Amino acid sequence: MDIVEQIISGDVRATARLLRDIDDEIPTSKEILKELYPHTGKAYVIGFTGSPGVGKSTLVDQMAILYRKEGKTVGILAVDPTSPFSGGAILGDRIRMQRHFLDAGVFIRSLATRGHFGGLTRSTNDMVNVLDAMGKDIIIVETVGVGQDEVEIANSAHSTVLVTVPGMGDDIQAIKAGIMEIGNIFVVNKADREGSRKTIRELRNMIEIGCRRGGSNGWEPPIIETEALKSRGMEELHGAIEKHRSYLLSSGEDKWKEVIEKRVRIQLIETLKDQAFRTLLDRMEARGDSLDELVEKVVDKKSDPYTLVQEIISRELG
Amino acid sequence: MEKGRKLRILVAKPGLDGHDRGARVIARAFRDAGFEVVYTGCHQTPEQIVSTAIQEDVDIIGLSILSGAHTYSFPRIMELLKESNAQDISVIGGGIFPLEDIPKLKEIGIKEIFEPGAKLQDITDWVTTNIQPRQAVALKAR
Ligand SMILES: Nc1nc2c(ncn2[C@@H]2O[C@H](COP(=O)(O)OP(=O)(O)OP(=O)(O)O)[C@@H](O)[C@H]2O)c(=O)[nH]1
Ligand SMILES: [Mg+2]
């Protein structure tokens, strides 16, 4: 069996290895992705985002249990930050997802941002495709916990769950800016803490304003109060996700198509950007043009970034 | 090392005793050495450790031990790696070991044992020198 067949048949080792190659930008991984692509499109992708420590991993763990009870297989991609100083990372999301290790129906992979901004990693979408081709029914992506302006996940997932906790006024302010664009479902976790009701009220107000402005598109994001540590509110959250899925699927062809097109568009653009940049760099390198020299030129005021880039583009692509 | 390859390491603590300060300290040292460290905390069974190592595609497992858990867990982990056809994943240990156990552990394939006095720098240097991130997978089976 070659690696493509292994992955399609659900082989964990082969899948784990390919994910690494994709992350490390090994060129052969692109060839493998090409062959896997026809086998994608079956999984449902759910994103969990929110500030550090709000309980994303704990919630993801709980959702995995519920989907397993329905007999669905689950793939999880959990992103943590890379240290800008060393390039290393501590990936700790699995600490909250310990109970699945004997269950072949759950595959969990921890990822480091490696300098990528936006809440995901550079290749999260490719990895979602791999888990999809591997046959996972549900793919859950936990973004790095960095703040609410990290909206990349909204373009990658079918349903995005935005998690906050009581007393995070800043969070709510930040959500305000793009409330309808980010979350399809809102969770106020750690409801055992004081101020949960108030947070829910504030969120509800904001959602109402958003809906009135016409951002709702027929879906009013529900707010679910949870206490993930005690499994409280989990059925409700699961129900809300499933309701959003039915909403996408049942509102004619339109909504579903819209989401699919959005995901494909983003992936196309990202891949194009990535490859174009890489190709340019390779060609420059082949000519013996080094980035360092260009930096030098600009620093010495012999040129400026705009002229240099224009020159490179017209030389290499013109 | 292939261009862009990052070393991935699993830091785990088998056994029943509760605190993981030592494991946290070494996890941080590995991060500061530029590795991607999958950290899973205390109370890990050998089955958990090996299953995690495979899903995370790590190059090496670092086991932190306090209370003699090594006599069972180390051989069991080596056995499970073999069963999973994953012997290419290296295993090292750190913590308190009776001196006479160390040769036995090396015999079953534990690459290195670090005792409580070992400097963090020595441990990270050892990994950098001795462990290479693995080769890329081939598209077609050989
Ligand atoms: N009191 C309380 N604590 C909770 C609840 N849910 C999770 N926690 C705790 O909150 C802490 C962080 O939980 P995680 O699930 O790791 O949060 P996270 O959002 O994944 O964190 P990062 O990935 O680091 O951003 C842990 O100590 C959890 O046990 C809850 O409902 N109530
Ligand atoms: Mg987390």
Side-chain angles (χ1 to χ4, degrees), chain A residues 125-142:
Chain A
N125 290 328
D126 298 334
M127 296 199 182
V128 166
N129 284 340
V130 175
L131 296 186
D132 188 346
M134 185 203 190
K136 293 290 178 252
D137 300 312
I138 302 290
I139 297 169
I140 308 181
V141 180
E142 177 187 339

Side-chain angles (χ1 to χ4, degrees), chain A residues 258-271:
Chain A
E258 216 174 272
V259 173
I260 302 301
E261 281 178 359
K262 176 182 74 178
R263 294 185 67 229
V264 169
R265 182 180 305 273
I266 291 292
Q267 192 152 29
L268 259 177
I269 291 172
E270 288 303 315
T271 309

Side-chain angles (χ1 to χ4, degrees), chain A residues 211-251:
Chain A
C211 283
R212 245 180 278 131
R213 285 198 195 126
S216 78
N217 229 344
W219 170 259
E220 185 166 337
I223 306 167
I224 317 287
E225 192 176 18
T226 65
E227 202 181 327
L229 264 187
K230 294 201 177 131
S231 309
R232 198 162 71 77
M234 293 306 111
E235 298 285 349
E236 289 83 348
L237 174 55
H238 174 260
I241 296 169
E242 287 307 302
K243 205 168 154 202
H244 185 246
R245 188 217 289 246
S246 324
Y247 154 79
L248 290 177
L249 284 168
S250 66
S251 42

Side-chain angles (χ1 to χ4, degrees), chain A residues 91 94-95 98, chain B residues 10-13 38-42 44 49 52:
Chain A
L91 312 173
R94 279 189 99 101
I95 297 175
Q98 300 271 11
Chain B
L10 169 64
V11 172
K13 188 164 183 304
V38 178
Y39 183 69
T40 49
C42 311
Q44 300 281 298
I49 290 169
T52 301

